[in-house]
Amino acid sequence: MAADARNHVTGEYSTLPSHAPAPGQGPARTAAPAPMALPEAEGPRDAVTRLHAHGCWYPSADPEGTQVAFICDRGGVPQLWSGPVDGEGIRLLDSSPDPVKEVSWSPDGRWIAYTTAPGGGEHSRVLCVRPDGTGRRLLAGADPETSAYLGCWAHGGSAVAVTLAAPATARSQADGLWQSADAAPAHWTARDGRATLLGTTVYAMGPDGTPATRPGGGLSAYLIDPHGLASPVLLATEPDAPTLRVCDLSPDGRLALLRRGPRGRREAVVRRVSDTATTFTLPVADGDPWIGRFSPDSRTLWLRSDAGREYAALFAVALGPDGTADGRTVVAEREDSDLELLTMAHDGRTAVLAWNVRGASELDVVETSPGPGAAATTGPARPVPLPHEVVTRVAAAGAGRLLLALSGSQRRPGVWWAHEGVSLLRTPWSSRDEDAVPPGRPPVRPVLTRLTARDGLALSGWYYRAPGRAPNEPAPCVIHLHGGPEDQERPVFDPLYHELLGRGLDVFAPDVRGSGGHGRTFVDADLGTGRFAALDDVADCAAHAVTAGPADPTRLAVMGRSYGGYLTFASLVWHPDLFRTGVAVCGMSDLLTFFAGTEPWIAESAAHKYGHPERDRELLHALSPMSRVDALRAPLLAVHGEHDTNVPLGESEQFVRAAREHGVPAELLVLRDEGHDFLRADNRRLFRRAAADWMERHLHPS
């Protein structure tokens, strides 16, 4: 049936190829997967092990907006649930222990597509299930050497877009180094100010111990029929791209909106479905991958972009009959705030805009007015009051109704819904605010704190004061550093912070340079040699915690996860007399060995942020904590997931080993069945308690 593949965008039959092209006709692509039936895995309406204070997030509604599928960890691991928006009768749709990452209900209401991470690692699969829990099947990612990523649905619901990452392939060896046979796209190696360093391949260690290229297998995006009755239709192949996601398909079936490229260099790409020709590209901001949507008449593309701007805004791109751009206009913007989330309502004519305002969210609803022969516009913004600080996702839920995933400093993540003109209402199955923590110790509301780095750059962070201390009483303090580096510290409830505060420890969580939410210049301020200034930022933030906290200068600790774990390792050796101890979680200790072991797409993006493992080898060595481990003085706890292929476990192992060889106390906690993110409730609890025990023991709070 492959020769008579159905075009799932238009519903017509065509002869589009679904597998690799003939020799000489283009780059090899990942073979399209076929749906694979799985045993039924519907669970009971109540989880076997229910968490009293659970989180619910990533909602996706059925076409009528009365039922919603969402992710919930009430069973101890993020799983797929569904139920009524305004009722208690929810059910577990997949009882397997693999954590769920994303959810999308089909426009025709027949299927719910979702991604899982088998074993909690970085490998991902795309599955689908009927809303009643039957018909569960695997769409892509069955091979453990590949990963699959969920894209959008075709507007009729007959197919879902899936991106498949091919496994890395062996290449011929030349001069002792593994070399890529693929040429790098010219625009990915340019140094244009927005990105001063950019790599194109993954790097392995050659026979002589030097870094060498180890290419990945590329990315291919397909439309897949969940029924398995028609062959997949190829939408795009990117042999060198670190990321590729199908964000939308035009209602008339002619165009696809793709998001591709490495961190800091993302692009929106419009392609014709008929011949896969690219008709339009525009740089877009990092952050939420769902960057835009076509208008109902397919003549306007609404896009969240920071092209030529300090902060992301809403763009309207006028499209001609062939998909080329006839012009673009900024139709909604704020002077000092990023447009963080863009969602189009059910009718496709109402935009919901979530703005990042110094870490908190502000929500606007605007009417959009595209029109042939006239410039696209938006009506006046209608603000939507929020009961909590941060919006993490907005989803349309039928005519005039929205679903919002919210987080805040006083609550667990939950889902709220609103009909147009009506206040937001919490869904009955989301945790209540009073259930965020056990009775007797309410969450601490953080205070936004501003400071100036030694080179004059403005920094900020959130200070959490341990309860029960006098206002000016010095307290032991943990400087906690987020990952990314482009992540941002947000005023949301963090069980780790709650655990540390309960031990009498203050927490200061800053945004050092390179963090998101503060403009493009701030994000790019840590590129290349700018990372040395980011290390200075950590010391400046610690000093500010002492003067403004007030933190006890003799009882400071540093802690962070992912890039924050790297900063923890680095801060302990760059500022050996500043911190009494540290906890590094899933951090890089040697940037060269990190490039050698990480996933292909991660290395592709990381080279832009940190440096090229061949051209910038000396810089990466100088930035690596392992190069200065002999300066380490403070005891260290390293924590890592055993299945982490983002930052491999060896990064923590080698630093702990070196610390011990230098006579410094160091321990390593390896969490089983976890990857780069700790997703299982028992492991998260173990991690929090182990980290707090370590801090309490070494900071000796009174």
Side-chain angles (χ1 to χ4, degrees):
M1 194 170 178
D4 191 25
R6 186 179 182 185
N7 186 324
H8 298 290
V9 182
T10 63
E12 302 297 329
Y13 282 85
S14 70
T15 56
L16 289 176
S18 60
H19 295 287
Q25 291 185 355
R29 62 193 62 141
T30 308
M36 177 189 305
L38 297 172
E40 301 299 337
E42 182 186 3
R45 289 181 179 269
D46 290 320
V48 176
T49 304
R50 176 168 177 166
L51 299 180
H52 179 65
H54 59 269
C56 299
W57 63 96
Y58 217 100
S60 183
D62 72 346
E64 290 74 33
T66 59
Q67 299 286 317
V68 58
F70 57 97
I71 301 173
C72 183
D73 63 357
R74 63 173 57 206
V77 64
Q79 292 174 301
L80 178 64
W81 292 73
S82 73
V85 170
D86 54 0
E88 292 277 4
I90 63 173
R91 67 173 61 197
L92 179 63
L93 295 183
D94 188 339
S95 61
S96 69
D98 294 337
V100 175
K101 296 293 191 71
E102 291 183 306
V103 180
S104 183
W105 206 311
S106 67
D108 61 7
R110 297 182 179 183
W111 293 99
I112 299 170
Y114 58 108
T115 58
T116 65
E122 303 309 304
H123 165 64
S124 58
R125 310 194 303 180
V126 174
L127 301 92
C128 65
V129 67
R130 297 286 193 183
D132 63 0
T134 63
R136 190 173 70 109
R137 59 192 59 193
L138 177 63
L139 296 184
D143 185 346
E145 296 299 317
T146 68
S147 279
Y149 308 95
L150 184 62
C152 67
W153 284 92
H155 279 263
S158 59
V160 63
V162 173
T163 296
L164 196 64
T169 55
R171 306 285 179 149
S172 59
Q173 194 174 20
D175 300 326
L177 301 179
W178 292 100
Q179 301 291 341
S180 172
D182 297 324
H187 69 288
W188 282 13
T189 55
R191 298 172 182 246
D192 61 2
R194 282 171 56 88
T196 58
L197 294 165
L198 184 65
T200 59
T201 51
V202 177
Y203 299 88
M205 303 305 289
D208 58 354
T210 59
T213 60
R214 177 170 56 87
L219 300 170
S220 299
Y222 293 90
L223 280 173
I224 297 179
D225 174 13
H227 299 87
L229 300 179
S231 298
V233 174
L234 179 70
L235 290 177
T237 292
E238 296 283 346
D240 299 297
T243 56
L244 178 67
R245 185 186 290 255
V246 184
C247 297
D248 195 24
L249 296 162
S250 63
D252 62 12
R254 295 181 302 110
L255 305 172
L257 172 64
L258 311 175
R259 174 182 178 265
R260 71 178 182 191
R263 295 180 338 209
R265 291 293 296 274
R266 309 289 192 198
E267 288 181 321
V269 179
V270 175
R271 282 190 178 160
R272 286 196 298 263
V273 174
S274 60
D275 58 5
T276 69
T278 296
T279 62
F280 172 76
T281 62
L282 188 71
V284 293
D286 285 333
D288 186 69
W290 304 103
I291 55 175
R293 185 169 169 181
F294 294 100
S295 63
D297 64 2
S298 304
R299 296 291 301 276
T300 302
L301 173 63
W302 302 103
L303 197 62
R304 181 181 63 86
S305 172
D306 63 351
R309 304 176 54 83
E310 188 70 17
Y311 292 93
L314 177 61
F315 281 63
V317 181
L319 300 175
D322 60 352
T324 57
D326 289 340
R328 67 174 190 259
T329 309
V330 175
V331 294
E333 61 183 324
R334 292 198 181 186
E335 184 178 352
D336 58 354
S337 300
D338 271 317
L339 177 58
E340 187 171 35
L341 302 174
L342 166 63
T343 300
M344 302 302 292
H346 189 72
D347 61 3
R349 295 179 173 85
T350 305
V352 185
L353 313 177
W355 301 93
N356 183 333
V357 183
R358 294 176 295 278
S361 298
E362 293 184 5
L363 200 70
D364 288 337
V365 176
V366 298
E367 300 302 321
T368 60
S369 301
T377 61
T378 60
R382 303 197 308 271
V384 178
L386 298 173
H388 295 286
E389 289 95 327
V390 177
V391 179
T392 60
R393 183 168 170 81
V394 182
R401 180 178 285 183
L402 296 173
L403 289 170
L404 281 76
L406 298 177
S407 291
S409 59
Q410 308 297 300
R411 68 162 297 107
R412 299 275 181 164
V415 176
W416 295 61
W417 68 277
H419 196 277
E420 187 173 358
V422 179
S423 299
L424 292 175
L425 300 174
R426 182 183 62 86
T427 53
W429 26 268
S430 293
S431 286
R432 300 173 300 171
D433 293 354
E434 54 267 34
D435 293 336
V437 297
R441 186 162 55 86
V444 171
R445 191 181 296 276
V447 176
L448 181 62
T449 304
R450 302 179 186 277
L451 66 145
T452 302
R454 64 189 65 182
D455 63 358
L457 185 66
L459 305 176
S460 64
W462 297 90
Y463 199 97
Y464 296 76
R465 181 69 165 160
R469 290 192 179 274
N472 296 320
E473 179 186 358
C477 181
V478 177
I479 309 299
H480 190 276
L481 305 165
H482 64 68
E486 305 92 340
D487 291 350
Q488 181 185 9
E489 192 64 34
R490 311 298 291 268
V492 298
F493 176 75
D494 189 326
L496 171 64
Y497 295 177
H498 188 73
E499 185 80 30
L500 294 170
L501 293 163
R503 307 294 184 97
L505 310 174
D506 285 6
V507 176
F508 183 40
D511 285 335
V512 301
R513 69 191 68 203
S515 303
H518 303 277
R520 171 56 60 182
T521 300
F522 194 87
V523 170
D524 285 347
D526 68 343
L527 294 182
T529 57
R531 199 155 314 281
F532 292 111
L535 297 177
D536 289 337
D537 288 348
V538 178
D540 293 341
C541 289
H544 185 76
V546 170
T547 59
D552 185 343
T554 67
R555 292 187 291 172
L556 295 175
V558 62
M559 179 179 182
R561 192 191 72 83
S562 190
Y563 177 71
Y566 159 78
L567 285 179
T568 298
F569 284 137
S571 297
L572 292 175
V573 298
W574 257 266
H575 313 293
D577 299 321
L578 181 59
F579 299 106
R580 184 176 286 192
T581 189
V583 177
V585 185
C586 300
M588 305 94 76
S589 62
D590 186 317
L591 293 175
L592 290 170
T593 58
F594 159 70
F595 274 104
T598 189
E599 298 279 0
W601 65 272
I602 295 174
E604 186 86 30
S605 289
H608 154 62
K609 294 299 297 185
Y610 306 127
H612 192 290
E614 293 173 341
R615 296 194 303 268
D616 304 301
R617 176 176 171 80
E618 292 184 3
L619 172 63
L620 293 180
H621 176 74
L623 287 168
S624 294
M626 284 294 293
S627 68
R628 300 172 62 102
V629 72
D630 57 348
L632 183 67
R633 302 288 183 270
L636 169 81
L637 171 66
V639 185
H640 225 106
E642 68 167 335
H643 299 313
D644 190 351
T645 56
N646 183 322
V647 177
L649 174 59
E651 293 299 302
S652 287
E653 290 176 331
Q654 64 190 5
F655 196 88
V656 169
R657 186 183 305 114
R660 290 176 173 177
E661 290 172 353
H662 285 80
V664 178
E667 300 292 339
L668 174 61
L669 172 63
V670 177
L671 297 180
R672 304 301 179 192
D673 296 320
E674 297 286 7
H676 194 60
D677 297 310
F678 305 155
L679 301 175
R680 304 180 189 280
D682 53 349
N683 281 332
R684 294 171 71 92
R685 190 179 303 112
L686 171 61
F687 158 61
R688 293 195 302 267
R689 292 177 177 174
D693 286 347
W694 181 273
M695 292 294 188
E696 188 175 20
R697 182 162 69 250
H698 289 281
L699 295 182
H700 302 295
S702 57

